[in-house]
Amino acid sequence: MTPINTNKALSELNSFASIRVIRGQTWLAGILILSLCPNAFAQTDFSTFWKKFRSAVIAGNKATVAEMTKFPVSMPYLQKAVKNKADFLRRYNEIFKGEANAAQCFASAKPRKESARRYEIYCPFKETPDDRENAPIRFEFELTKSGWKFAGLDNINE
């Protein structure tokens, strides 16, 4: 039978205790950081994104809408994609006041979840704004590395 080296055993026990304390402190620090930074959760929360995006479109705040957009923006058949922010600002009315009146539609539209990374809003033609049965104008939203973004416009009838 070999004698137990008490100094070695105490040293190992102290090391184990130190590791547990450090892990606990790291976990606590992480929780504190997340609680102090609510935007860390908002990046993946579509409803938060949608409220801000919808309000910006209704208010006609082109700069905010552009910041919430992924480029290039896909467009309906036979229309060129919107390449960048400058192109977006130039074509804003075409996108949001073209075939559909997005501001009017977004006031009551309900987002449709297509997948964990995609939502869509369907709007009627601006000439028939109350015809929700015929709402072929689709606004597409995608979850990107930097959060939710407006990604495309389509006319599902074309």
Side-chain angles (χ1 to χ4, degrees), residues 3 9 22 37 45 63 67 75 87 97-98 113 119 124 132 135 144 150:
I22 291 170
C37 301
D45 181 18
E67 293 301 320
M75 293 293 285
D87 193 23
K97 298 178 183 180
K113 184 176 184 175
Y119 276 84
R132 288 286 174 174
T144 69
F150 169 59

Side-chain angles (χ1 to χ4, degrees), residues 17-32:
S18 294
I19 290 171
R20 287 187 60 131
V21 168
I22 291 170
R23 282 186 183 161
Q25 290 172 340
T26 303
W27 182 82
L28 182 60
I31 294 300
L32 287 171

Side-chain angles (χ1 to χ4, degrees), residues 23 26 42 52 65-66 82 89 92 103 117 139 146:
R23 282 186 183 161
T26 303
K52 183 177 178 183
V65 176
V82 178
L89 293 172
Y92 184 90
R117 303 185 64 82
F139 293 85
S146 60

Side-chain angles (χ1 to χ4, degrees), residues 36-122:
L36 294 173
C37 301
N39 287 342
F41 292 111
Q43 291 299 322
T44 58
D45 181 18
F46 183 80
S47 64
T48 301
F49 164 84
W50 173 242
K51 287 174 189 170
K52 183 177 178 183
F53 187 85
R54 183 181 111 194
S55 294
V57 170
I58 291 170
N61 188 336
K62 297 175 185 181
T64 299
V65 176
E67 293 301 320
M68 301 176 79
T69 300
K70 172 188 158 199
F71 298 102
V73 176
S74 66
M75 293 293 285
Y77 181 67
L78 296 177
Q79 292 184 29
K80 290 182 181 179
V82 178
K83 299 174 194 166
N84 54 39
K85 185 177 178 178
D87 193 23
F88 180 84
L89 293 172
R90 190 171 39 258
R91 295 174 64 188
Y92 184 90
N93 288 344
E94 173 188 343
I95 298 165
F96 294 102
K97 298 178 183 180
E99 291 185 292
N101 179 336
Q104 183 178 13
C105 173
F106 288 6
S108 62
K110 302 289 184 234
R112 182 185 300 178
K113 184 176 184 175
E114 297 298 318
S115 72
R117 303 185 64 82
R118 184 179 173 93
Y119 276 84
E120 297 176 346
I121 303 289
Y122 288 85

